[in-house]
Amino acid sequence: DVQLVESGGGLVQPGRSLRLSCAASGFTFDDYAMHWVRQAPGKGLEWVSGISWNSGSIGYADSVKGRFTISRDNAKNSLYLQMNSLRAEDTALYYCAKEAPSPYPYFDYWGQGTLVTVSS
Amino acid sequence: SYELTQPPSVSVSPGQTARITCSGDALPRKYAYWYQQKSGQAPVLVIYEDSKRPSGIPERFSGSSSGTMATLTISGAQVEDEADYYCYSTDNSGNHSGNHRVFGRGTKLTVL
């Protein structure tokens, strides 16, 4: 079975950094693009960032561009999100999501999320 | 930046037809997808490529798209369909590359 397990969330002060991880299992990790999607408390889904299977294509939402960096380690079946210069508005549940097989650009599996709280 | 616009809420009685719309300038060229999210759970895909239904999704869920508007229709809505629904698409606006994605702000469906 496909499993995506996020970790690394927590309480952090504004301006500080945090690194999220997503451990993937149950599928051939390096065959698929992966994404981060977040959801602020009581709010909607927001796509954050995506990375192709070989890290050759990367995209960021305008709200995080220049502050967040997505990466992956196919040897470790892991996805990462380095978050710098955190702001209160980055407070959210961060989901790791697997992209469906090409050519479909939707997410077919999601983790349960890791909560990031940015507050002094 | 590219936006998908949904109504904040839709309310129907059980057995009625619920329609949730999603408008976006690129929808004539890009497929719409729909996710259902129940409270405390991860989202679940209910419609892909405008009108296709994934296996395991009840037949009462259908989708359509015309021009700049996509529509999710739930025919004979059930109490268990009460959830937030998000439209989703790819975003190639501006200098965004093929890996950009966008969600609508979501529509809360109430069935009572």
Side-chain angles (χ1 to χ4, degrees):
Chain A
D1 286 2
V2 172
Q3 281 202 322
L4 300 170
V5 180
E6 303 93 336
S7 61
L11 175 63
V12 61
Q13 292 179 329
R16 304 298 290 264
S17 299
L18 208 58
R19 189 193 196 207
L20 305 184
S21 299
C22 171
S25 61
F27 65 102
T28 305
F29 183 71
D30 54 10
D31 277 351
Y32 298 97
M34 298 292 295
H35 297 257
W36 290 99
V37 177
R38 70 184 180 183
Q39 187 166 33
K43 302 297 184 182
L45 300 171
E46 180 186 15
W47 176 80
V48 173
S49 182
I51 185 168
S52 62
W53 66 276
N54 64 351
S55 304
S57 178
I58 288 175
Y60 298 98
D62 292 343
S63 58
V64 307
K65 194 169 186 178
R67 299 188 299 123
F68 290 10
T69 302
I70 192 172
S71 62
R72 63 190 295 162
D73 186 336
N74 288 343
K76 295 182 178 179
N77 289 347
S78 293
L79 176 72
Y80 306 102
L81 186 68
Q82 177 67 43
M83 304 186 296
N84 298 334
S85 303
L86 282 162
R87 306 167 179 167
E89 53 265 35
D90 296 318
T91 294
L93 184 66
Y94 284 74
Y95 291 104
C96 166
K98 170 187 170 292
E99 191 167 292
S102 180
Y104 302 111
Y106 62 84
F107 312 131
D108 56 357
Y109 290 94
W110 301 64
Q112 286 305 302
T114 186
L115 182 62
V116 172
T117 303
V118 183
S119 174
S120 54
Chain B
S1 60
Y2 182 49
E3 291 186 358
L4 297 173
T5 301
Q6 299 179 235
S9 62
V10 168
S11 182
V12 297
S13 299
Q16 288 189 328
T17 296
R19 293 182 179 86
I20 300 172
T21 58
C22 172
S23 64
D25 290 343
L27 290 181
R29 303 177 298 279
K30 299 292 184 181
Y31 285 121
Y33 302 78
W34 291 92
Y35 282 95
Q36 175 195 68
Q37 187 182 34
K38 295 184 178 180
S39 181
Q41 299 181 18
V44 172
L45 186 77
V46 295
I47 292 291
Y48 69 101
E49 289 190 338
D50 293 343
S51 60
K52 298 176 183 177
R53 194 173 53 250
S55 61
I57 300 302
E59 290 184 7
R60 63 181 180 272
F61 288 86
S62 64
S64 62
S65 186
S66 179
T68 60
M69 185 168 289
T71 302
L72 172 68
T73 300
I74 308 172
S75 304
Q78 306 295 309
V79 173
E80 60 262 33
D81 299 330
E82 191 163 286
D84 294 322
Y85 290 85
Y86 296 89
C87 65
Y88 162 85
S89 189
T90 55
D91 172 14
N92 293 99
S93 64
N95 61 352
H96 291 165
S97 66
N99 236 343
H100 280 75
R101 309 285 186 260
V102 61
F103 286 97
R105 293 197 172 192
T107 298
K108 182 175 180 59
L109 175 65
T110 302
V111 183
L112 54 77

